[in-house]
Amino acid sequence: MGMSNMVGIASSTCQVGGGGGGGGWGWSGGAWSRRVSSGGGGNMKKNETSKNLAVLYFVCAFGFLGVVGSIYARLMFSPNVHGMLTKLGCVEDNEGSWAIGVFYGDSPFSLKPIEDVNIQKDKSAAWPVANPVVTCATVSEAGFPTNFVADPFLYVQGDILYLFFEAKNAVTMQGDIGAARSIDKGATWQPLGIALDEDWHLSYPYVFEFNGNMYMLPEGSGKGELRLYRSVKFPLEWTLDRVLLKRPLVDSFIISYDGKYWLFGSDHTDISSKNNGQLEIWYSSSPLGPWKPHKRNPIYNSDRRFGARNGGRPFQYNGYLYRVGQDCGETYGKHIRIFRVDVLTIDDFREVEVPSGIQESVKGINAWNGTRYHHLDVQQLSSGEWVAVLDADRVSSGDPNQRFILGCASAVGVATVVILIGMLLGTVKCLVPLSWCPHNLGKRSDTLLAWERPTLSSKMRLFCSRLNRISSYLRTKVNPRTFTGRSVLALAIFAAVVLMCIGVKDIYGGSGAQEAYPYNGHYSQFTLLTMTYDARLWNLKMFVKHYSRCSSVHEIVVVWNKGTPPLLSEFDSAVPVRIRIEEQNSLNNRFKADPLIKMRAVLELDDDIMMPCDDLERGFRVWREHPQRIVGFYPRLINGSPLEYRAEKHARKHNGYNMILTGAAFIDHNMAFKRYWSKEAAAGREIVDKVFNCEDVLLNYLYANASSSKTVEYVRPTFAIDTSKFSGVAISGNTQVHYNIRSNCLQKFAELYGSIADRKSEFSWRTDGWDG
């Protein structure tokens, strides 16, 4: 295309008018010249109107999408999405959010998490304890800002357990070595401080004893050498003892076996080495050296999935030596592999993989170990029991960066779609005003003009002019006034809304995990109990699938009141499901004592209520503050003369409540079930059986009757859906009849157990705003 044609296109699209005379720049006779046209003022006004319309369109479009994104964030994002554990540390880290859990077993291959062991103490509603037991908050709240904790190693000293681990410093962003102590077999840990801090990154603090001294062999590959430290004052003071090797070995350990000491580690600096896929062995007559390389080094230099990189302390069991390796295939530290060492000599090495016995979580990112775990240290106690520490994470490496990139891509997509919609509507007439494109207006001689070639600026103007023609092209192809045009517009608007929500989720919404909330530095779990019958099986299956993925749900108990019960294989559950078949169809069965329930907390939840996992986690956190209360999600205010049962709207109108419906409430099942089946409650239970209603009302009266202090507490759910409306099996089809029955129950229960009308609690008294 010749220059005159090129500029002809440029001058015909998206021009910006000049001064009072109007006109623009064009190409004429081989040179740029100023065109002056009469009536330029009218064109200027037209251009100005077009600009104002475009600006107004963009303001309205992005304002609307901003509102959509805000509503989406309000409804879908957990309050703890950015980590509310501590103000000091626990900042989202691209390396992950590693934490440490404790496991017990009769052997190193039958390890169970601490929540399955059911360690309880009466002093705190955080019991029974659940993993993780050491987190970034554990260290940060002790005064050492930490983003995550990983690479745990144990040292057993009688009945005391010491824990050494990598603590990712939230200020320097490098690893330090932290220390903690437990006097109750790992259920609770006291942070002791930072045991080792160097100018380079430290991790993998392998600790061992030799000749009465304590040694630590941390990874410090950033220094370029393998350093051995000796304890000066255990466990927090260490000094450099010696440099074992002038090599940057990663994740190394020393083990005594068959009369020699063996050092296992990985050197990833060689150009031919496979990152996380290489293993080297060295041997010596002393752990202090000197060290000689194994004749087969590198032992492995293969696929990183196969566990070549060490993943914790080796251990001996039933006469065999076992090595722990990391599978880094899908992501760094995906999970561990256990290898039985069959041959270990200076000339040969052979090992074979064996099952680890560690059950992976199926709760996904809602579980603290739902995505990966990469380090294990298992040791035998003097009692014969085995104890282990394992680090794990709910997200994979690079997750924040990946989400940020996807979020930015979504934002670009939103802007693109908005511009395309504007073009279809005619409010956006060009993408790039040609006045933004540089061009040469200097004087040139006729001789130079003859040799002139297209420049970068002219090519840019050509490209922009062609880009600007998209607007007119789209309007000729798609007419917004036709059915097809309106369909295209609707689809484009829908795409913009979807992209906006995706972008907000990726940039602001965190990993999407609905995490548990700690109390007194500890996590715990609860039993979810629901009561149903055969006609509501559809509700139940959806109920189990959803809530079994919630972080703190330990098990689900289904009280089966009527009909043929389903098979357990019919449920898609991430936790154990138990069906308790009742002989009599009675609502009193909801609060029947069940010795098989091990958790102190029970969430009584109707099978037709669906709410986010985070709502359950917040309710559980509040209940642990006051385990003597009924803590739930549906408040009622019982007042009037005579007493009348009314909906939540009445309670909010009078800014208070004195009852919590136990169709969605946390209780201490030992306390609640004992009260409900006491002799004093017999008359109330008869009323419940007679009217087939009011069992939750009765429990509220029994709580109030047994205490003069506050007995109920409300937590506001983000949202809740009644699935019975979709399946057509609602228990209370006629709301007014249902309310009348309950009003009658109020009168009778008040006569039996006293009034609760004077027990009013106000909304929004909590500082966290969860009861608003």
Side-chain angles (χ1 to χ4, degrees), residues 464-477:
C464 292
S465 65
R466 288 176 173 173
L467 196 64
N468 288 337
R469 294 174 67 186
I470 295 176
S471 176
S472 57
Y473 175 79
L474 283 177
R475 287 197 298 275
T476 59
K477 293 295 183 180

Side-chain angles (χ1 to χ4, degrees), residues 57-58 62 65 408-424 428 431 467 470 474 492 495-496 499:
Y57 164 75
F58 282 121
F62 287 114
L65 291 172
C408 290
S410 298
V412 172
V414 169
T416 302
V417 173
V418 168
I419 291 173
L420 291 176
I421 294 173
M423 289 179 172
L424 290 175
V428 178
L431 296 178
L467 196 64
I470 295 176
L474 283 177
L499 286 171

Side-chain angles (χ1 to χ4, degrees), residues 3-4 7-8 10-12 15 23-36 439-441 444 461:
M3 282 296 295
S4 60
V7 179
S11 62
S12 65
Q15 292 185 8
W25 289 97
W27 183 269
S28 178
W32 287 102
S33 61
R34 174 92 174 157
R35 294 195 188 99
V36 180
H439 51 274
N440 185 8
L441 300 179
R444 288 161 290 182
R461 289 178 65 81

Side-chain angles (χ1 to χ4, degrees), residues 638-645 659 687 694 697 701 739-756:
I638 306 306
N639 59 4
S641 182
L643 294 175
E644 185 176 354
Y645 183 89
M659 179 185 293
I687 296 173
C694 303
V697 180
Y701 271 88
Y739 279 26
N740 290 340
I741 294 174
R742 288 180 162 249
S743 294
N744 292 331
C745 289
L746 294 176
Q747 302 290 337
K748 296 176 181 178
F749 292 157
E751 294 173 3
L752 289 170
Y753 309 109
S755 176
I756 63 172

Side-chain angles (χ1 to χ4, degrees), residues 305-306 335-340 351-356:
R305 294 174 298 174
F306 298 151
H335 57 80
I336 62 170
R337 296 177 180 269
I338 306 295
F339 300 91
R340 187 186 68 231
E351 63 181 9
V352 60
E353 186 174 0
V354 298
S356 68

